[in-house]
Every structure is written in C-alpha cells, then in structure tokens.
Amino acid sequence: MQIREAAAEDWPRIWPFWHRIVAAGETYTWDRDTSEEAARSLWMNPAKQVYVVEDETGAIVASAFVTPNYGGPAAGIANAGFMVDPDLAGRGIGRALAGHVVEAARGAGYRGMVFNAVVETNPAVKLWLSLGFEILGTVPEAFDHPRHGRVGLHVMYRAL
Amino acid sequence: MQIREAAAEDWPRIWPFWHRIVAAGETYTWDRDTSEEAARSLWMNPAKQVYVVEDETGAIVASAFVTPNYGGPAAGIANAGFMVDPDLAGRGIGRALAGHVVEAARGAGYRGMVFNAVVETNPAVKLWLSLGFEILGTVPEAFDHPRHGRVGLHVMYRAL
C-alpha cells in the first residue's frame, strides 16, 4: 500500500468508488446523483491537496483531501474528506490514509482539523474518535439516511 | 425600515458595509482583503436567497442570505449570513432582519438553520441565543481576532 499525492490523471480511477459512495447516500452531504464532472470539480479542486492510496497491484483504493475549512482569520484550521473503496473496508486503509493526512495537514502548518458533517451512523465515527478527534456537537436530524431515517451530523475536531 | 429580496443592482450599496465588516476581520471567516468582485460572487450567489433592509430614506443598511448549509441528503438544513452597517448597530436592524430570514427559511421548507462559524466574541452571539439558537459546540482557538487573539468559533443551531 502506497499513499501519494494525486495527479489529475488519477481521477478516472477515483470516480468509480466516489460515485458508489455518494450514490449510496449514507455518508456524504452531496447530491446522490452528482455527475462525474461535478464530482471532479469538488474533489480534484485546486484549493485542495488530494491524496490517493494504491494497493500492491497499482489499483487506487482510496482518496482523501485536505483544504482550509474557513478563510481569512480562520484559515489555520483544516478540513478533510476521505473515501475508501467499499469493497475494501475493514483492512486498515482508512486508518493509514487518515494518519497520513493528519500528518500532512500538520506539516502544512494547520493548527487543527474540523469535519463539519459526519453522519452519526457512519462507522468512521469510531475511527475518528480513536485517532483523537472529538465530537464538538451534533446537528440533530439533519441527514436523511436511506435506512436509518433522519440522523444527526457531528462536528468533529482535533488539534494538530 | 423595509425588508425585501435583494436585486443585482443593490450590490453597490451593500459593498461599502460588507467591505468594512470583512476588512475589520472580527466576525467573518473570509479574507480581509476580499475584492469587490469576489465579494459579489460570495454574497449575491445564485444559490443564495438574498435580502436587504432599507431605511426610511431608501438607503440599504443591512443584508442577509439564506442558502442550504449542506447538499444531498442534508439539504433540508439552512445556513444564513447577516451584515448590518456598523454605523447603525444597536437599533434592532439585525434582530428584525434575523426574524424575517428565519421565517423565510421556514417558509422555504427548511427544518433547521446552522451557523458554522460564529466568532465567540461577536456581540451577535447574544442575539442568536435570544432568538432560540443554541451553541452546539465551539472549535477552540480557530479564529485570529485582531484584538482578542485566538478565539473560538461557535457552531449554532435552531430548529425551524
């Protein structure tokens, strides 16, 4: 498993699991039918530092980004997003990528990292807690989950 | 005092207090030197419902917007932003505009409203609390305030 910065030409190999995750509508606050073009603009945005994980065969199995969560006087706080190919869940890929991204954000000078909208039923909540993130608060019933109904969105934070 | 939807041609009369408020760097997480063009794109964005307050002389003394705070499965939660001409603080303009905007958001079908980044030293925190918003949590030391140093950013919420 190798984690490296993404290049523009990686996108077609990110899109299949990106699309599958967003279309499932369980973890991201983006339109479930987001087009490939719109998805590329969101994820491969020049304001974002984007990473990918390659497995031993060279397949891209996960991606993440880091970007300022706010502008101006609060630009020292990072935001990040993570997607792991759902077929490869439970193998520690997300944990490895998260560790890499947290270190990269610290190295880039960010003082803290915020996730603005973590669906409270997302199994990744446990991962974030184990990595030192805390739940600052929860927007109640903010997310229409296809199986669980209306669930909350956590705001999560850790200092870097 | 009249509150109405903004038209594109209102912008040049919003910009003077918009610029003054953002340049002061005490309340908004936008670059203090945001250009007029960038400011217009941010504030008069087609995704936003924008309002202005006119005083008895027809001068524009405040503006606000409502927009979805998230997309996709969480699009039922609104975000809003408010600016009142600092020369006219303390006259109830912000309170009247906030009441109008909360009603408009409810009328548009939003179930709740979130402010993602309320600077904890902003006097408006009291106004939001008095209008039924609660502080869900605070991102510590996230905002470099020109007089108070690093202060927190509240995430505030109310159901609609």
Side-chain angles (χ1 to χ4, degrees), chain A residues 61-123:
Chain A
V61 296
S63 184
F65 69 79
V66 179
T67 193
N69 195 48
Y70 318 96
I77 306 298
N79 174 242
F82 296 84
M83 290 201 187
V84 178
D85 186 333
D87 286 338
L88 301 170
R91 301 189 191 187
I93 296 169
R95 177 175 295 273
L97 180 56
H100 187 91
V101 163
V102 162
E103 282 310 310
R106 186 186 288 124
Y110 289 110
R111 302 193 309 273
M113 183 175 283
V114 169
F115 303 143
N116 302 293
V118 182
V119 179
E120 65 183 344
T121 52
N122 186 339

Side-chain angles (χ1 to χ4, degrees), chain B residues 43-68:
Chain B
W43 199 261
M44 307 297 280
N45 190 298
K48 294 176 175 172
Q49 194 71 43
V50 185
Y51 300 90
V52 291
V53 182
E54 283 184 342
D55 71 8
E56 302 70 29
T57 71
I60 292 180
V61 296
S63 184
F65 69 79
V66 179
T67 193

Side-chain angles (χ1 to χ4, degrees), chain A:
Chain A
M1 188 161 73
Q2 188 210 346
I3 303 175
R4 61 167 173 81
E5 292 194 21
E9 58 265 31
D10 292 327
W11 171 252
R13 297 194 289 154
I14 297 170
W15 165 247
F17 61 84
W18 197 106
H19 174 60
R20 188 169 157 203
I21 289 166
V22 172
E26 300 189 348
T27 53
Y28 269 86
T29 61
W30 289 327
D31 289 344
R32 294 174 70 170
D33 60 355
T34 299
S35 70
E36 179 172 356
E37 187 56 36
R40 180 166 48 192
S41 294
L42 278 169
W43 200 261
M44 307 296 281
N45 189 298
K48 294 176 174 170
Q49 194 71 43
V50 184
Y51 300 90
V52 291
V53 182
E54 284 184 342
D55 71 6
E56 303 68 31
T57 71
I60 292 180
V61 296
S63 184
F65 69 79
V66 179
T67 193
N69 195 48
Y70 318 96
I77 306 298
N79 174 242
F82 296 84
M83 290 201 187
V84 178
D85 186 333
D87 286 338
L88 301 170
R91 301 189 191 187
I93 296 169
R95 177 175 295 273
L97 180 56
H100 187 91
V101 163
V102 162
E103 282 310 310
R106 186 186 288 124
Y110 289 110
R111 302 193 309 273
M113 183 175 283
V114 169
F115 303 143
N116 302 293
V118 182
V119 179
E120 65 183 344
T121 52
N122 186 339
V125 172
K126 264 192 198 165
L127 173 60
W128 306 133
L129 292 172
S130 78
L131 289 170
F133 286 83
E134 61 183 306
I135 297 168
L136 294 181
T138 306
V139 182
E141 301 184 1
F143 188 92
D144 279 312
H145 192 288
R147 292 183 289 117
H148 302 302
R150 285 186 184 157
V151 297
L153 289 173
H154 293 321
V155 179
M156 301 190 74
Y157 168 78
R158 71 162 278 187
L160 295 179

